[in-house]
Amino acid sequence: MSERVGIEVSLAVAEAVGLCDVDVVAAYPITPQTHIVEHLSELVAEGRLDAEFIPVESEHSAMSACVGSSAAGARTFTSTSSQGYALMSEVCFIASTLRLPIVMAVANRALSAPISIWNDHADLMFARDSGWIQLVATSGQQAVDLSVMAFRIAEDKRVSLPVQVNLDGFIMSHVIEPLFLPDAEEIKRFLPPFQPLLRLDPARPITIGPVGMPDVYTEARKAHDEVLKASKAVILEVFDEFAKQFGRRYELIETYRVEDADTIIVAMGSISQTASTAVDAMREKGLRVGMASICLFRPFPAAELAGVIGRAKNLVLLDRATVFAGGEISGPVALEVKSALFDRGLSPKVANFLVGLGGRDVTQQNFEEMVERVVTAKNGDLPPYEFINVRE
Amino acid sequence: MARESGIISWKELNPGTAITEPGNAAELKTGDWRSMHPETDRGKCIKCGQCYIFCPDMVYAKDEEGYYVQNYYWCKGCGICARECPVAAIKMIEEVD
């Protein structure tokens, strides 16, 4: 067992990626992700990591270089945030359907305009339909552990898909947290060498990324969708293996005091920690409140989530990104949750709040207000979503 | 049939729709795309090979007498050969059935 150390989460993620013996890192610095690639470039420059560090001129080039290196059979890592993701997104959609197991840390940040370097989930939601696996960390330790597991999930031959590890910008990426860094020998036992399904090799030429005529495009999308569906079982398997070896167990939906809860807050990312504190405070006042945190956004674990929240009378669904749909439907996370419930014939009272946009703090007081709102509202009185903490 | 048409199940696609056999475009029957096909009048043909050079689908191949003959398995009927023939020996004939 390794020692617990106090370290900035970004540096810890970079250390973990280094310990995974990554072959190629192609990345462009962008706040708040910068410390991750900066530290990886240090590791390479100091000779502590035997990898190719490609200092590209943009995120579009970063992901393009990643596609090439992964297709050539190299274990490949990159990292970005917000506008950087927006610029690389064209190539991200290609990486996934080409089944290239690239791992990317996304230090979540709001999208412009107005220009904001601060945290919300606009980039995570923007990436939603790109066909990647999207893991979401609730703590620095989890961000580190997910970074290690991401390679094993991505490179599993039943999956062979790129994986995003989302960690909240600043709130998590820049916090110094006491955490366990796995050691190199432990990781070697956990993570087998990368053996790609197919490899670009001049000795055995193949074509990657050909045109897909109308008579093959649907089949290509179906094949991609099937493999993303099948990845959930592999993710659970990897979580289980990780727990056995490292003693830290993760769940697709992490829960806090939900067993007898009338009202459950559904959150995602670091805000879950504030939510848990608020749950304790409300419990002391006699309110039966619990919290469920979504740790896997794609594929969406609808069955697991419904299993956890299905019996609650009231739900507080949090969204950390705006949806511009005309006000008559909910925010992006709430849409998924409502869909999961509808498909199972469940219809609790639901309030959806847009919170923590562009770095706005969400306080314990805010949670108490949100819970009160859903508990006291008459069914049918709640709008599809409401902004919290907005000045009139 | 699948190799001629490229019509296969999603289960048979290579990961990422990769093409793992180089040159397998030769198996794809593009000949059934056409509505017209080229025919060469050997009386006019001067065996210059312009049709062979310009054909985008490698339809033409030289025979023992030096004439260029069409392989209709690939010919899409684009008509470039007829357009480029310097002695107007190639005519595009409408497909009847």
Side-chain angles (χ1 to χ4, degrees):
Chain A
M1 179 57 89
S2 54
E3 294 260 310
R4 201 172 215 189
V5 290
I7 183 170
E8 186 188 304
V9 171
S10 288
L11 305 191
V13 166
E15 286 284 339
V17 169
L19 291 170
C20 290
D21 198 20
V22 70
D23 299 311
V24 174
V25 178
Y28 189 84
I30 183 168
T31 302
Q33 159 278 136
T34 306
H35 291 183
I36 298 174
V37 287
E38 216 169 59
H39 192 56
L40 277 163
S41 90
E42 273 170 4
L43 293 179
V44 173
E46 289 166 3
R48 288 170 59 201
L49 172 61
D50 180 18
E52 196 71 38
F53 187 91
I54 311 177
V56 286
E57 75 279 23
S58 78
E59 286 84 357
H60 192 278
S61 304
M63 188 48 67
S64 300
C66 287
V67 163
S69 73
S70 186
R75 180 170 287 164
T76 302
F77 177 84
T78 188
S79 180
T80 195
S81 296
S82 176
Q83 307 306 114
Y85 179 78
L87 183 54
M88 71 162 55
S89 63
E90 181 198 2
V91 193
C92 291
F93 281 70
I94 296 167
S96 58
T97 307
L98 295 188
R99 308 274 308 277
L100 300 172
I102 298 158
V103 171
M104 169 160 70
V106 181
N108 301 116
R109 162 183 155 181
L111 282 166
S112 303
I115 296 169
S116 168
I117 59 168
W118 294 277
N119 168 234
D120 74 22
H121 288 170
D123 47 13
L124 196 165
M125 291 305 150
F126 185 26
R128 184 189 66 179
D129 299 332
S130 63
W132 286 51
I133 291 169
Q134 293 183 290
L135 299 164
V136 189
T138 55
S139 69
Q141 181 71 63
Q142 193 178 1
V144 167
D145 294 343
L146 288 178
S147 300
V148 175
M149 287 190 272
F151 285 105
R152 175 140 166 198
I153 294 164
E155 293 170 9
D156 188 297
K157 288 198 170 176
R158 293 165 293 173
V159 178
S160 196
L161 283 174
V163 176
Q164 260 188 16
V165 177
N166 290 279
L167 62 154
D168 285 315
F170 293 119
I171 293 171
M172 191 184 295
S173 65
H174 284 51
V175 161
I176 295 173
E177 189 178 302
L179 47 78
F180 295 102
L181 272 180
D183 70 48
E185 284 310 307
E186 276 184 295
I187 289 192
K188 249 184 210 148
R189 276 193 288 135
F190 179 74
L191 185 63
F194 174 33
Q195 291 186 315
L197 288 178
L198 293 169
R199 184 200 302 267
L200 281 183
D201 177 359
R204 293 193 60 227
I206 61 168
T207 299
I208 286 181
V211 68
M213 304 290 267
D215 54 20
V216 76
Y217 188 88
T218 306
E219 282 68 25
R221 291 281 142 166
K222 168 78 175 164
H224 184 170
D225 183 51
E226 285 293 327
V227 84
L228 189 74
K229 272 199 303 203
S231 72
K232 189 168 88 173
V234 177
I235 294 165
L236 285 167
E237 210 177 282
V238 172
F239 279 13
D240 204 45
E241 287 291 315
F242 189 89
K244 278 184 203 147
Q245 197 179 323
F246 295 89
R248 290 186 291 278
R249 178 167 291 282
Y250 296 104
E251 308 286 344
L252 305 184
I253 307 294
E254 307 217 321
T255 58
Y256 188 66
R257 304 184 82 167
V258 289
E259 291 72 21
D260 62 340
D262 295 325
T263 305
I264 296 180
I265 301 164
V266 180
M268 197 159 76
S270 60
I271 202 175
S272 311
Q273 302 206 18
T274 321
S276 305
T277 311
V279 163
D280 285 340
M282 286 184 272
R283 285 269 176 181
E284 273 175 33
K285 292 176 190 167
L287 285 165
R288 290 208 294 202
V289 184
M291 193 273 305
S293 179
I294 299 167
C295 298
L296 176 70
F297 195 63
R298 282 291 181 273
F300 192 77
E304 286 80 359
L305 182 67
V308 168
I309 65 173
R311 287 189 309 275
K313 285 187 212 142
N314 313 303
L315 294 177
V316 170
L317 307 181
L318 302 183
D319 264 296
R320 304 208 49 216
T322 36
V323 61
F324 297 109
E328 293 177 26
I329 57 169
S330 298
V333 175
L335 282 179
E336 315 296 37
V337 178
K338 283 181 164 183
S339 169
L341 295 170
F342 181 87
D343 290 343
R344 289 161 183 79
L346 300 165
S347 48
K349 194 160 39 153
V350 170
N352 175 212
F353 299 100
L354 305 191
V355 298
L357 304 180
R360 181 69 59 89
D361 284 334
V362 186
T363 63
Q364 193 173 311
Q365 173 86 29
N366 291 147
F367 280 104
E368 294 183 19
E369 287 161 15
M370 290 187 274
V371 167
E372 193 186 340
R373 176 98 176 99
V374 72
V375 170
T376 56
K378 285 201 186 77
N379 223 344
D381 279 358
L382 291 160
Y385 62 88
E386 294 170 68
F387 282 84
I388 269 285
N389 224 351
V390 65
R391 283 186 306 278
E392 294 295 337
Chain B
M1 181 58 199
R3 297 179 76 86
E4 281 179 18
S5 65
I7 310 266
I8 56 170
S9 152
W10 65 268
K11 293 171 195 158
E12 296 169 85
L13 283 179
N14 280 322
T17 64
I19 297 168
T20 52
E21 295 167 58
N24 74 347
E27 290 163 16
L28 188 66
K29 188 177 185 180
T30 46
D32 55 8
W33 297 10
R34 69 172 177 264
S35 59
M36 298 180 90
H37 67 273
E39 280 183 12
T40 308
D41 179 345
R42 293 201 170 190
K44 289 186 185 169
C45 178
I46 56 170
K47 304 178 182 174
C48 68
Q50 292 291 313
C51 52
Y52 165 80
I53 290 165
F54 278 98
C55 175
D57 281 300
M58 298 299 289
V59 166
Y60 285 89
K62 204 176 189 174
D63 72 3
E64 284 162 6
E65 294 171 64
Y67 290 108
Y68 289 87
V69 290
Q70 295 93 351
N71 181 342
Y72 292 114
Y73 187 86
W74 295 314
C75 177
K76 295 169 184 161
C78 69
I80 291 175
C81 53
R83 171 73 178 73
E84 296 297 333
C85 178
V87 293
I90 303 173
K91 282 212 160 48
M92 296 304 291
I93 314 293
E94 208 152 318
E95 299 278 322
V96 278
D97 48 300

